[in-house]
Amino acid sequence: DSDPALLLDLFHPFSLQRTRQQDISTWSQEVRAESSDPNARWRWRTGVFVSSRDSSLDDFILGQGPWEGSSQTRYQQDDYALYGEVTRAVGEQLELSSGLRVQSARDHTTSAFEPTAFATSLGGVPASLDHRAAFNSALPMAAVSWKWTDAHRSYFRFGTGQQPGGLAVAAAGSIDYAAERSCHYELGHDSSFQNRAVQLHAAVFYSDYRDYQSFQFNPGGQTILNAASAHAVGAEGEVRLHPCLGLECYAGAGVTKTLFDEFNSPIGDFSGKRINNIPAGTLNLGGAYHAAWGGVARVDWRGVGRTWFDEGNTVRQDAYSLLDARLGYEWA
C-alpha cells in the first residue's frame, strides 16, 4: 500500500506533509480431521492452525515539530492454535457439544526514528525500540441442541475468544495494548418446511468484551487503546426459498447495539458511546440460479446501516447499499 504526499506546500508551509510505503506479507495453513458419519452418536473434529504476518512501514513526515523525520517500523506476528470439539447425541432429541482451542501468539515489533535537522533543533532525538510479547490462552466452548422434529431445532452456544495485544508505534510515543478477551452467547432456532424448500433461521446474541481494542488514528500514526469493558447485543434472521430446481432466493436482516461500558482513555472518556466501525443494522436480498447445462446467474443487494467512525460518535457514515450481479459457467 502506498500513498505518496507532496512534501512541500508553498501555500501552507506549516501544514502536515507525509509519505509512507507499507509492504505486508501473510500466509496461513489449517489442517483438520473430523468424523465422517453425521448421524453417529459420537462426532468429533480436531485440527491445527498456523499463520504468520510480516509488515514493514517506511514513513517520512513533516509538520510534527520534534517528531518530524523518517521512521522504519516492522511488525512480525505469528499465531499457533490446536483445537478439538466433540458432540454426543443423548437420545433422539438432545445433543451436547464441548470443545477447547489452545492458541499462542508471538508479537515482535522493531522501530527506528531519525529526526530532521529542524526537529533536532526543537529537541528531537533519534530513537529505536525492540519489543517482544507473547499471548497464550485456552478458549473453551459449549453448546446444547434440542431437535423438536427432523425439521425444527433450537440451540444455545457459548464461546470464548482472544485478540492478541502488542505495541502501537506512533511518532509522539508508542503504546502497549493488552490482549482483548471476549465471551459470546447465542440462542437460535432453525426450521425447514416442504422437504427443505423453505428454510428459516433466527438467533439472538450477546457478546461481552474485556480490554476491547479500539483503533485511534492521528497524524503521528495509529494507536490502539483498550476499553476496560464493552458489549454487543443483537438479533438476526434469514429465510431461504427453493421454489424450483436450480433456483434459490434468500433474504436476511440483522440489528446490533454496541456500547463502550467503561472506556476512560488518555484522549477522553468514551463510556456509554457506541462502538465505532460496527453498523447498527444490515439487510440483504438475493437470488441465484444454477442451470442444468452449467450456467450460473446471481444477484445480491445489501443494505448497511449507520456507522460511527470515531469513539466519541462525532463522525458517522449514513446508511448505504450495494448491488452485485454475476454471470458465469461452472463445470465438474
Side-chain angles (χ1 to χ4, degrees):
D1 175 47
S2 177
D3 51 3
L6 182 66
L7 291 184
L8 179 61
D9 187 337
L10 298 179
F11 298 100
H12 302 88
F14 299 105
S15 63
L16 179 70
Q17 307 294 335
R18 183 174 198 170
T19 60
R20 49 190 288 136
Q21 176 72 39
Q22 186 168 22
D23 296 308
I24 300 174
S25 61
T26 181
W27 65 269
S28 63
Q29 181 65 54
E30 182 176 5
V31 179
R32 175 186 293 183
E34 59 185 16
S35 56
S36 57
D37 184 0
N39 298 313
R41 286 291 181 185
W42 287 95
R43 302 193 302 276
W44 57 269
R45 63 179 176 181
T46 186
V48 294
F49 174 81
V50 181
S51 73
S52 179
R53 184 175 188 268
D54 193 339
S55 172
S56 62
L57 174 64
D58 293 331
D59 205 331
F60 183 80
I61 188 169
L62 293 176
Q64 279 286 95
W67 299 288
E68 73 172 31
S70 61
S71 63
Q72 296 80 40
T73 304
R74 186 178 183 186
Y75 300 95
Q76 294 174 281
Q77 297 152 331
D78 298 313
D79 292 282
Y80 311 92
L82 172 66
Y83 62 89
E85 182 178 329
V86 63
T87 298
R88 164 67 173 169
V90 182
E92 298 299 321
Q93 296 175 295
L94 180 64
E95 278 191 352
L96 302 175
S97 300
S98 64
L100 181 68
R101 180 184 180 94
V102 179
Q103 69 181 40
S104 177
R106 299 289 185 269
D107 180 85
H108 184 199
T109 301
T110 58
S111 181
F113 170 70
E114 187 66 34
T116 64
F118 176 70
T120 302
S121 68
L122 297 177
V125 295
S128 63
L129 60 86
D130 191 322
H131 177 272
R132 295 176 183 268
F135 304 90
N136 304 310
S137 59
L139 306 172
M141 62 78 58
V144 57
S145 173
W146 182 265
K147 186 168 68 174
W148 303 94
T149 68
D150 288 340
H152 304 281
R153 180 182 72 99
S154 299
Y155 67 90
F156 175 77
R157 183 179 181 91
F158 165 77
T160 54
Q162 176 187 266
Q163 180 74 18
L167 180 72
V169 178
S174 302
I175 297 177
D176 271 303
Y177 58 95
E180 172 190 306
R181 296 183 177 273
S182 56
C183 294
H184 308 271
Y185 309 84
E186 181 177 347
L187 177 64
H189 181 82
D190 296 298
S191 291
S192 63
F193 305 90
Q194 299 181 358
N195 197 26
R196 299 187 64 82
V198 179
Q199 299 176 43
L200 301 176
H201 167 75
V204 294
F205 61 87
Y206 178 84
S207 297
D208 181 68
Y209 300 92
R210 292 293 181 267
D211 290 320
Y212 183 91
Q213 293 175 1
S214 177
F215 291 79
Q216 298 276 343
F217 293 93
N218 59 70
Q222 176 178 280
T223 300
I224 302 176
L225 301 176
N226 291 109
S229 60
H231 77 272
V233 60
E236 61 184 17
E238 184 182 44
V239 56
R240 290 184 173 269
L241 308 176
H242 298 81
C244 61
L245 183 63
L247 178 62
E248 180 184 37
C249 302
Y250 41 86
V255 293
T256 305
K257 183 177 181 180
T258 60
L259 285 178
F260 291 117
D261 297 317
E262 183 181 350
F263 189 8
N264 190 4
S265 77
I267 63 173
D269 188 351
F270 304 118
S271 303
K273 298 292 186 179
R274 296 288 294 264
I275 298 178
N276 48 319
N277 299 316
I278 299 179
T282 58
L283 290 171
N284 67 281
L285 298 169
Y289 180 71
H290 295 255
W293 52 270
V296 180
R298 185 184 184 101
V299 176
D300 291 286
W301 175 86
R302 176 178 171 83
V304 180
R306 185 178 64 182
T307 305
W308 293 106
F309 282 162
D310 68 324
E311 292 79 356
N313 296 170
T314 62
V315 181
R316 76 181 188 191
Q317 177 172 268
D318 290 331
Y320 67 94
S321 63
L322 299 171
L323 180 65
D324 298 315
R326 176 183 298 178
L327 291 174
Y329 178 78
E330 60 186 9
W331 60 94

